[in-house]
Amino acid sequence: MNQVVLIPGDGIGPEITAAVLKILDAAGAQVDWVKAEAGMTAFENSGNPLPEETLAKIREHRIVLKGPLTTPVGSGFRSINVSLRQEFNLFSNIRPARSLPGIDTPFKDVDLVLFRENTQGLYSGIERWANEDHTRAESIALITREASENIIGAAFDYATKHKRKKVTLVHKANILKLSTGLFLKVGNEIAQQYPDIEYEDLIVDNMAMQMVMNPSRFDVVVTTNLFGDILSDLASGLVGGLGLTGSANIGREHAMFEAVHGSAPDIAGQGKANPTALLFSAILMLEHIGQNDVGARINDAIMKVLADKDACTADLGGKSSTGAYGDAVIAAMS
Ligand code: NAD
């Protein structure tokens, strides 16, 4: 039995988490859940959006399944998602996006896995007012060789392990010559250690166009934090939206699995939310802890349910509530 810290999260978090736990249980997942709080829920309950008790549980158990957390815009506390990634050095953010049965999009045969550097770039938290009247603000895009080696190495290792053919490195080294220039330089060096994997680099604006013009040409993609944030949402859009994409945040010792979407306050508490993204994240977690067969069983069931539009939630044009969709996935397993 693996012990996994469970943070249901804010907004739609508790609803989609309940559906996911029921499905994992029905599939026979051997997981002992250790419940913890973070985000707005924790802030309202204890005055601290990231309580020490939660950090201690993550330190001890090392694996986390997390619902979305609300971040106040403009002022208030810093993003707890970013804090968790930095606190546990979860340097790889891995976001698979693939075409799904029954999901009607203009894009066919998408099957890419995006690796986003998760701790640096413009998310380093190095920001300051550059003058006293606050009319000039500066944010530093920190890039180090070590973090670049970590994420690019992880992308190539993943490509090797999963028999992927190509790695595309995305940068803006024509303008940000030092920071993303360093990222590109490290990529060029690491690529030479993997002669069996095709390697290319693309400038981020070109990448955005190519992903829309011809997304099936991409296989494994690796990039810096901000570009990865934007391109991974673009990738989600190619395959049907944020309700359908899971993600893994992996470091050397700790790993956190979460949906790509946010806490969707506009539909929270209405039983409408789509739990598929968190479910795909839970499948990534099951693979990480060696319960691949359980993950595969759930994955096959999701494919069957998605093919039946009526069984899907409203964001996919269906009629099901969160709970009814979850029950359909369970029924499709038997
Ligand atoms: P959002 O992803 O919460 O919502 C965007 C749109 O997508 C909304 O219309 C919402 O209803 C819909 N949507 C999202 N998830 C859905 C689901 N599972 N099923 C059906 N529809 C879904 O983005 P936002 O509104 O920009 O952000 C809301 C809050 O979430 C903010 O506080 C933001 O900081 C936070 N956020 C958290 C994470 C995270 O925890 N990893 C990621 C992104 C945003």
Side-chain angles (χ1 to χ4, degrees), residues 217-231:
R217 83 187 269 281
F218 296 109
D219 194 346
V220 174
V221 176
V222 61
T223 188
T224 52
N225 207 338
L226 179 63
F227 299 159
D229 192 7
I230 297 167
L231 294 178

Side-chain angles (χ1 to χ4, degrees), residues 114-167:
L114 194 140
F115 279 69
R116 163 188 172 191
E117 201 292 316
N118 221 7
T119 58
Q120 302 197 324
L122 276 166
Y123 293 68
S124 309
I126 313 171
E127 280 199 305
R128 64 168 195 142
W129 293 112
N131 61 9
E132 283 185 0
D133 57 358
H134 290 192
T135 55
R136 185 184 160 95
E138 293 177 351
S139 304
I140 304 289
L142 173 75
I143 304 266
T144 66
R145 170 170 277 275
E146 186 188 2
S148 304
E149 285 173 352
N150 283 343
I151 185 71
I152 297 166
F156 274 96
D157 286 345
Y158 178 95
T160 306
K161 190 171 163 202
H162 292 85
K163 301 195 171 20
R164 296 273 182 163
K165 295 197 164 41
K166 183 166 76 172
V167 171

Side-chain angles (χ1 to χ4, degrees), residues 176-188:
L176 305 170
K177 290 183 196 295
L178 298 188
S179 55
T180 75
L182 172 60
F183 192 77
L184 173 61
K185 185 169 186 285
V186 172
N188 292 344

Side-chain angles (χ1 to χ4, degrees), residues 58 62-67 80-86 88-96 114-119 151 154 225 232 246-260 278 281 284-285 288:
I58 300 174
R62 297 174 179 219
I63 315 261
V64 184
L65 180 66
K66 186 184 79 58
I80 300 307
N81 299 309
V82 175
S83 302
L84 283 168
R85 291 168 195 159
Q86 289 175 344
F88 294 100
N89 194 19
L90 305 174
F91 54 82
S92 294
N93 184 230
I94 306 168
R95 299 191 182 189
L114 194 140
F115 279 69
R116 163 188 172 191
E117 201 292 316
N118 221 7
T119 58
I151 185 71
N225 207 338
S232 59
S247 82
N249 299 273
I250 298 187
R252 295 258 178 262
E253 292 181 10
H254 297 82
M256 181 171 77
F257 300 83
E258 60 177 346
V260 171
L278 188 62
S281 311
L284 292 171
M285 182 206 78
H288 186 79

Side-chain angles (χ1 to χ4, degrees), residues 12 66 68-71 81 258 260-267 274:
I12 59 170
K66 186 184 79 58
L69 303 179
T70 298
T71 307
N81 299 309
E258 60 177 346
V260 171
H261 60 73
S263 55
D266 52 336
I267 57 165
N274 183 353

